[in-house]
Amino acid sequence: MTGTSSGLRPVYPSDEVLLPAFVDLVATASGAWVNSGLAVILPGPGTYEISATLHTVIATNPSSGSYNIAIAGRLWNASAGAAVAGSQYTVQQTLDNAPTSFNSDADMGTFHRFVTVTAPTTVRLEVTRINTSGTPVPTTGLQTANTRLAFKKISD
């Protein structure tokens, strides 16, 4: 190796976790935030890029009635007990004024946020179902296929 240490780039920590089990959003009230079970620990002071990919499904049938249902995600700073500002992201929204059969609509979305912390910090992914009208049926929720939460440190 030639050169000096000043030419070396720092190696920053990173991590990724995958959703281990389906998160049912039928059992919770519309608008209630649910802990997805995904969390990462930012190991120390610095600025991090946090990314989340959510694979969602909304299921309905004629008993749902006319419906307009959405699923959203957000980052929750568990260490501070507060939502990460600007992190709420609508992943999926589906509607039908006169459903005549069972419908299962899946979507996937990814969002990124930059977060600066001053100490080790736990950040988790939360999800919610929002019913403007109608009622979803079972299998509405967060799917395990490719749902993930990750971080990489980008500066001290």
Side-chain angles (χ1 to χ4, degrees):
M1 173 182 230
T2 60
T4 65
S5 62
S6 64
L8 298 177
R9 290 185 171 179
V11 176
Y12 288 124
S14 63
D15 195 13
E16 177 180 69
V17 291
L18 301 174
L19 186 67
F22 176 77
V23 178
D24 180 8
L25 293 178
V26 173
T28 60
S30 174
W33 287 98
V34 176
N35 182 349
S36 71
L38 287 178
V40 292
I41 299 173
L42 309 180
T47 299
Y48 297 82
E49 179 182 14
I50 301 175
S51 63
T53 301
L54 290 77
H55 179 192
T56 60
V57 65
I58 295 174
T60 56
N61 64 28
S63 70
S64 299
S66 175
Y67 62 84
N68 184 350
I69 302 169
I71 297 177
R74 74 176 179 190
L75 300 175
W76 181 262
N77 181 332
S79 299
V84 173
S87 70
Q88 185 171 326
Y89 178 79
T90 300
V91 179
Q92 178 180 10
Q93 183 170 9
T94 188
L95 58 100
D96 190 338
N97 289 322
T100 59
S101 63
F102 177 80
N103 181 43
S104 181
D105 181 31
D107 271 313
M108 187 177 288
T110 299
F111 64 95
H112 302 260
R113 287 293 171 263
F114 295 98
V115 176
T116 300
V117 298
T118 58
T121 302
T122 299
V123 176
R124 71 179 186 226
L125 178 65
E126 294 188 333
V127 291
T128 187
R129 169 188 47 81
I130 303 162
N131 297 8
T132 304
S133 63
T135 305
V137 296
T139 70
T140 295
L142 191 59
Q143 299 287 351
T144 55
N146 300 314
T147 294
R148 54 175 278 289
L149 181 63
F151 77 87
K152 62 182 173 182
K153 186 172 184 180
I154 59 172
S155 71
D156 289 322

